[in-house]
Amino acid sequence: SDGSIRLHQMTSEHPLMQWNGSTKGQPITALQWALTRPAVFFALDASSNIYVWDLLENDLLPVAKQTIPSEKVVTMTLLGEPEKANGLLGIVLAKESGEIDIQYVKKKWALP
């Protein structure tokens, strides 16, 4: 609820990494690992900002931020085929009006 993200290992109650204030205090409404690249995850905050984290490139801050200005995004999920090496990865955004929007991710965050 405060924008903090914690990375846990299943065998420990203590996080391996913790990022406080990564969304400047905005609650995170969705978070998902990339299906095609294990070190990348995406977070959506309550202000319709999507943050891209690539832990191999930078493990302190998101590597990119994209604001969806047109309408509030209520949730997101990722689509892709992890068994294929084509690097196609999409973000499905569900907007408050019920509209669904699909955007494709840059290859550098999608390729295995």
Side-chain angles (χ1 to χ4, degrees):
S1 65
D2 64 358
S4 296
I5 298 173
R6 292 171 201 80
L7 176 65
H8 284 268
Q9 183 174 326
M10 297 297 287
T11 57
S12 174
E13 65 183 73
H14 302 289
L16 294 172
M17 295 282 295
Q18 181 168 329
W19 300 277
N20 296 319
S22 61
T23 61
K24 295 185 176 46
Q26 287 295 314
I28 295 173
T29 57
L31 189 140
Q32 190 171 353
W33 286 99
L35 301 170
T36 57
R37 189 173 172 98
V40 174
F41 66 90
F42 299 82
L44 171 69
D45 74 14
S47 295
S48 300
N49 296 305
I50 298 171
Y51 300 85
V52 182
W53 291 79
D54 183 343
L55 299 179
L56 296 178
E57 185 177 330
N58 186 341
D59 64 358
L60 299 176
L61 299 167
V63 295
K65 174 184 168 185
Q66 177 68 48
T67 302
I68 310 298
S70 59
E71 185 180 346
K72 183 175 179 169
V73 177
V74 293
T75 194
M76 72 169 186
T77 192
L78 298 178
L79 58 89
E81 298 176 295
E83 64 279 354
K84 293 187 179 177
N86 62 9
L88 282 178
L89 180 66
I91 300 178
V92 181
L93 305 171
K95 297 183 178 181
E96 201 168 46
S97 67
E99 182 181 320
I100 301 292
D101 187 18
I102 299 174
Q103 297 186 8
Y104 286 96
V105 174
K106 287 182 180 182
K107 292 269 189 196
K108 70 179 184 176
W109 297 314
L111 286 172

